[in-house]
């Protein structure tokens, strides 16, 4: 039986509080009667979610073909380039401010991989996806990208334009002392 685990959280990047959705899944290997822990990673990468080797430098341009719907009760439907949603009306517990941040930014960062510990009990905090994100990324076991929130496409485009603006760099000619 295929298992998909989901956890919501808030991600901070570029001084923005961005809602995040962490996904981890296993699927049966029909030829060996075992579970494949990286099945979800392979499938989402094949559907356009890019490999993420450093979450701190995750591009926030929305991934083509992916869209998230969040209903009034907080249930999530995650559409992707496939004929059925990856998640459909899934009740995912989210922290305070998650839905408001989704509406304000117009995106949710989706991380999918293995080694995130979502299927393990996390009474001591060690099973929390956020604590294991960088290890999974360094191991090549993480995909991630920004997904547009349905109904907030304009916000997502504004955020993308804001973050795409080149930052003005100070060089030694611009600095008052003439030095860096």
């Amino acid at each position: 039986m295929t298992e998909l685990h989901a956890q919501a959280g808030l991600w901070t990047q570029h001084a923005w509080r961005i809602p995040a959705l962490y996904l981890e899944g296993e699927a049966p290997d029909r030829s060996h009667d075992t579970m494949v822990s990286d099945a979800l990673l392979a499938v989402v990468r094949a559907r356009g979610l890019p490999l993420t080797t450093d979450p701190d430098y995750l591009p926030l341009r929305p991934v083509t073909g992916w869209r998230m719907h969040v209903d009034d009760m907080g249930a999530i439907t995650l559409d992707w380039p496939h004929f059925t949603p990856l998640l459909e009306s899934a009740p995912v517990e989210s922290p305070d401010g998650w839905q408001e941040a989704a509406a304000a930014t117009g995106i949710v960062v989706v991380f999918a991989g293995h080694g995130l510990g979502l299927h393990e009990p996390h009474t001591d905090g060690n099973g929390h996806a956020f604590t294991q994100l960088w290890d999974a990324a360094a191991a090549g076991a993480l995909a991630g990208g920004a997904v547009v929130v349905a109904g907030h496409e304009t916000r997502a485009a504004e955020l993308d334009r804001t973050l795409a603006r080149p930052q003005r760099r100070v060089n030694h000619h611009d600095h008052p002392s003439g030095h860096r």
Side-chain angles (χ1 to χ4, degrees), residues 100-111:
E100 293 80 2
T105 62
I107 62 169
V108 171
V109 174
V110 173
F111 290 108

Side-chain angles (χ1 to χ4, degrees), residues 48-110:
L49 201 64
L51 180 68
T52 301
T53 56
D54 188 345
D56 287 327
Y57 293 97
L58 184 73
L60 295 178
R61 173 160 290 171
V63 178
T64 303
W66 290 67
R67 179 173 307 271
M68 184 173 292
H69 305 266
V70 182
D71 72 16
D72 294 337
M73 300 301 292
I76 295 172
T77 297
L78 181 57
D79 292 322
W80 60 327
H82 192 269
F83 58 90
T84 59
L86 182 56
L87 291 175
E88 188 167 21
S89 299
V92 177
E93 191 174 323
S94 60
D96 290 341
W98 192 89
Q99 286 182 267
E100 293 80 2
T105 62
I107 62 169
V108 171
V109 174
V110 173

Side-chain angles (χ1 to χ4, degrees), residues 2 25-27 36-50 66 80-82 84 86 112-113 143:
T2 301
E26 298 177 329
V36 180
S37 63
D38 62 350
L40 178 64
L41 178 64
V43 171
V44 297
R45 291 205 53 221
R47 301 275 193 273
L49 201 64
W66 290 67
W80 60 327
H82 192 269
T84 59
L86 182 56

Side-chain angles (χ1 to χ4, degrees), residues 5-9 11 21-24 111 115-120 122 125-136 142:
H5 304 277
Q7 180 179 324
W11 176 259
L21 182 66
Y22 306 95
L23 302 171
E24 185 172 31
F111 290 108
L116 299 178
L118 295 179
H119 63 284
E120 302 166 4
H122 50 272
N126 292 328
H128 189 280
F130 186 77
T131 63
Q132 298 184 30
L133 201 63
W134 282 265
D135 290 341
L142 185 68

Side-chain angles (χ1 to χ4, degrees), residues 134-161:
W134 282 265
D135 290 341
L142 185 68
V147 173
V148 171
V149 176
H152 301 283
E153 293 83 353
T154 303
R155 293 273 191 191
E158 289 170 3
L159 178 64
D160 184 45
R161 280 193 303 276

